[in-house]
Amino acid sequence: MLRVLAPLLAFTALASAAPSLSLCPEETRSLSELYQDALTEGGVLNVRAGGDELNQQDSIKQAWESAFPGIKYNVTIDLSKYHDGYIDREIASGQVYTDVATLQTLHDFPRWKDAGALMQYKPAGFGQVFDEIKDSDGYYYGYNVFGWALLYNTAHVTPTPTGFIDLLRPELKDKLVMTYPNDDDSFQHTLFNLVNHYGYDFFDKLIAQNPRWVRGGATPIALMSASLNGNGSYYLAYTAAFGPPGLAVVNPTDVPATTWSQTAAILAKAPHPKTAKLFANFLLSKDFQAANSPSVRKDVPPANGDKPANEKFDLTAFAKYMADRPAVERFRFFIESKIGTPQGLSPLVDGL
C-alpha cells in the first residue's frame, strides 16, 4: 500500500524557514484606492489560470472588467501542470510576464516561495482565510474551493448511487465516462485513495467496466449531457459537481471525493504589481467569496446554510498528496501500465 508521509515534513521545514509574520501587515486600503493605484500601470493584468475549458474564466473576467474599467483581464487558461513549467522558465530567465498564478498544482507554491519567486503580500481579509489553505507569511492562499463528485443520469441509473463502488455495477458496463487519472493529479489522488481503501483490484474491476477515458475534468459533463439527448449512452461519471436537469450529483460516502482550494500567488517580479495586488484583494473580497460559495473565508457563510468548506471537506489531503512528487509519479506510472498514456487532443481544443 502506498502511503504519503513526506509532505508534512516538507511543509513544516518551509514554515520554519519563513520570515517573521510582522514583516507583512494585512492590506488596509479599499478596493477603490487600490484601483486608482493600479490605473497607473497601463491597464492590464496577466494571469495564468489552471483550467481545462476556455470559458472557465469568463465569469471572473466579466466581474473584474465590470468592477475595474480600463484594466483588461488578460488570462491564459491551461492545465496547471503546464503553467508551472512556463512560470519556471519566466523566473529562470528573469523575464517575468505573469502577474498572478491561480493553479491546482499546490506543490509549486512552497517551492516558489522558498526560491524567493513570490511576492509576500496579505490582501484585506487574509486573516479570515482558513489557516490550512494559506501560507501564514502571505506568499500564497486558497481563493476558491474546487472538487469532484459522482454525476448520474436519473432516468437510467437506479437505485441512486451512493459511492465509488457503484462504478462497478454490472449494468453500468460501457456506460461510464472518466477522466484519465494519469492526466490530472486530482483524479489520480482519488484513485490512490480508492486502491488504498478497496485494494488494487478495484482498478482492475473498473477497467473491466470499459469506461470511456477522456481528457479534462469537465469533458464527462459534456458527454453525459449529450447522452440526455440520445447522443451517446453514458450514465455515470466522476466529474464536476454540477450538470443540467436530468443529471444529479452524489457526494460519495465510501471514499471522499477530492476537494481542494485553487491557490493564488503574485510573482515577485510581476510586471504589474499594483494591479496584481488589486486582483488579490478582489479575489478575497466578501462580494467575490459570497458569489463563489463555498467561501474560503471564515466570515462568509456558505449558501443554503451548509457547513463551512473546511468542516464539510478535507482541504489539506490533496496538498499533502501533491507534495510527495516521487510517490505521485510512481502511481502515475502504475496507472499508465494499466490503461496507457492519455489519448486525445487537449480538452481546451477538443470541441467537447
Side-chain angles (χ1 to χ4, degrees), residues 15 79 95 140 164 173 182 215 217-218 235 268 311 320 325 330 334 349:
L79 304 183
Q95 297 177 342
Y140 54 89
F164 290 104
K173 184 174 183 179
N182 48 335
R215 299 194 64 198
Y235 301 150
E311 294 181 18
K320 294 171 186 175
R325 300 315 295 171
R330 285 194 298 271
F334 163 75
V349 298

Side-chain angles (χ1 to χ4, degrees), residues 253-312:
T253 58
D254 50 355
V255 173
T258 295
T259 305
W260 72 97
S261 182
Q262 200 84 341
T263 295
I266 302 173
L267 276 291
K269 295 184 178 180
H272 310 102
K274 297 176 182 179
T275 311
K277 288 179 180 180
L278 173 62
F279 186 62
N281 284 271
F282 168 75
L283 289 180
L284 289 189
S285 67
K286 285 188 174 182
D287 286 346
F288 181 91
Q289 289 296 311
N292 292 273
S293 187
S295 172
V296 300
R297 290 180 58 143
K298 306 169 192 174
D299 59 347
V300 179
N304 304 319
D306 207 350
K307 292 181 179 179
N310 66 335
E311 294 181 18
K312 186 174 181 178

Side-chain angles (χ1 to χ4, degrees), residues 157-323:
V157 181
T158 55
T160 299
T162 60
F164 290 104
I165 196 66
D166 289 289
L167 295 170
L168 306 185
R169 283 158 51 172
E171 68 272 22
L172 291 175
K173 184 174 183 179
D174 302 321
K175 307 296 183 185
L176 306 176
V177 56
M178 308 286 290
T179 300
Y180 279 105
N182 48 335
D183 196 33
D184 187 314
D185 286 345
S186 62
F187 290 94
Q188 181 181 320
H189 173 248
T190 304
L191 182 61
F192 177 86
N193 289 335
L194 283 167
V195 299
N196 274 277
H197 183 79
Y198 284 117
Y200 278 79
D201 63 340
F202 176 90
F203 192 33
D204 292 326
K205 293 175 182 177
L206 178 60
I207 293 169
Q209 288 287 78
N210 194 34
R212 177 173 173 180
W213 299 106
V214 299
R215 299 194 64 198
T219 305
I221 299 176
L223 293 173
M224 292 275 287
S225 298
S227 293
L228 290 171
N229 301 318
N231 298 317
S233 56
Y234 299 110
Y235 301 150
L236 182 61
Y238 178 53
T239 183
F242 60 85
L247 302 180
V249 172
V250 168
N251 290 310
T253 58
D254 50 355
V255 173
T258 295
T259 305
W260 72 97
S261 182
Q262 200 84 341
T263 295
I266 302 173
L267 276 291
K269 295 184 178 180
H272 310 102
K274 297 176 182 179
T275 311
K277 288 179 180 180
L278 173 62
F279 186 62
N281 284 271
F282 168 75
L283 289 180
L284 289 189
S285 67
K286 285 188 174 182
D287 286 346
F288 181 91
Q289 289 296 311
N292 292 273
S293 187
S295 172
V296 300
R297 290 180 58 143
K298 306 169 192 174
D299 59 347
V300 179
N304 304 319
D306 207 350
K307 292 181 179 179
N310 66 335
E311 294 181 18
K312 186 174 181 178
F313 307 109
D314 183 347
L315 298 179
T316 65
F318 182 54
K320 294 171 186 175
Y321 179 74
M322 291 285 280

Side-chain angles (χ1 to χ4, degrees), residues 103-118:
L103 305 176
Q104 180 197 72
T105 47
L106 306 183
H107 60 287
D108 285 318
F109 295 96
R111 70 179 180 86
W112 284 331
K113 171 191 173 182
D114 200 37
L118 301 181

